[in-house]
Amino acid sequence: MGKPISAEELEIIVRAVASASHSLSDEIRRAGLLEHILGQEGNVNVQGEAQQKLDVVADRAFINAFLDCGIVCGIASEENDEFVAFDHEPSKDGDFVVLFDPLDGSSNIDVNVSIGTIFSVYRRVSPKGTAVTLLDMLQPGTEQVMAGYVLYGSSTMLVYSSGNGVNGFTLNPSTGEFCLSHPDMIMPENGRLYAMNEGNIQECEQGLVHYIQYCQSRDNQTGMPYSGRYIGSLVADFHRNLIKGGIYIYPAVPASPEGRLRLLYECNPLAFIAEQAGGLATTGRQRILEIVPTQLHQRVPYYVGSKLMVEKAMSFLG
Ligand code: AHG
Ligand code: MN
Ligand code: MN
């Protein structure tokens, strides 16, 4: 990990995330009532996916919050082709870059199912006083100084780590404050839940097919079979597994040969939190946090969750 973020700097970033997510949470709660919120925006993002209106609203809210906080000098977001260098004072000389998925689980927006925001914070590697570069964005996940997510579920929660454990805060909608509701979150070492889009199973590598068969096999001693749980919003599936114990898998499939999830905006931040909570995150063969990124929108296969479950799944892959 790079030089740790100071308590003051951490507070500034947390305030920026809390303020953007509080207003976004209000918009999401009223989504069915507001015409500018539901449905497709009409654009296709750099990933080739149809942008939802709320993807764009969320993206703007977080960009503005980071721009205004004064210590972030640039951002990269899943919804933008290129990274953005903040070029005015005081942001331009900020020490940090933030990479984020402004709205995760877009396909669940219109159907009132939990969605989220995922973010990752790094120290810039380029010298202060110069514009941020692509290299500031392409750092391995081990260099994260902070990472977190916001879950817009039946309550809104902010969960983050700055490298010293994981804490969860729940939004009190009447005061707008996030209250520490889940101190020192630990992911159970083992669990009984597996999450994967099993519609893809016939197209997966044989080792994974066998692991899923293992999850479904009966063993009265261990309480197997495991229960299948797949929300289709990574943040929500991850959060459930963080609390209850479980594994989430998004493998390489023919339609997404590198996997579907994005290393910088989704996999690295949640891998950081998983490890900080005692869990594991790998591609099935390699630790996620050690991958040296080569592209902003790079995708990777993803196995994340309870340590023993991820290790077991990997043992099937060879
Ligand atoms: P996003 O909405 O940011 O594009 O991410 C969607 C991701 C993730 O949240 C989810 O787990 C996965 O894509 C769902 O993919 P499938 O519909 O292929 O299962
Ligand atoms: Mn996402
Ligand atoms: Mn998204």
Side-chain angles (χ1 to χ4, degrees), residues 192-196 198 215-216 225-230 240:
R192 299 192 56 257
L193 303 175
Y194 74 100
M196 174 185 159
E198 283 184 81
C215 292
Q216 297 168 343
Y226 295 149
S227 293
R229 293 281 186 277
Y230 190 69
R240 182 203 55 237

Side-chain angles (χ1 to χ4, degrees), residues 78 101 104-105 262 266:
E78 181 188 279
D101 177 356
D104 174 69
R262 276 108 336 184
E266 295 168 316

Side-chain angles (χ1 to χ4, degrees), residues 2 88 127 140 257 274:
H88 64 263

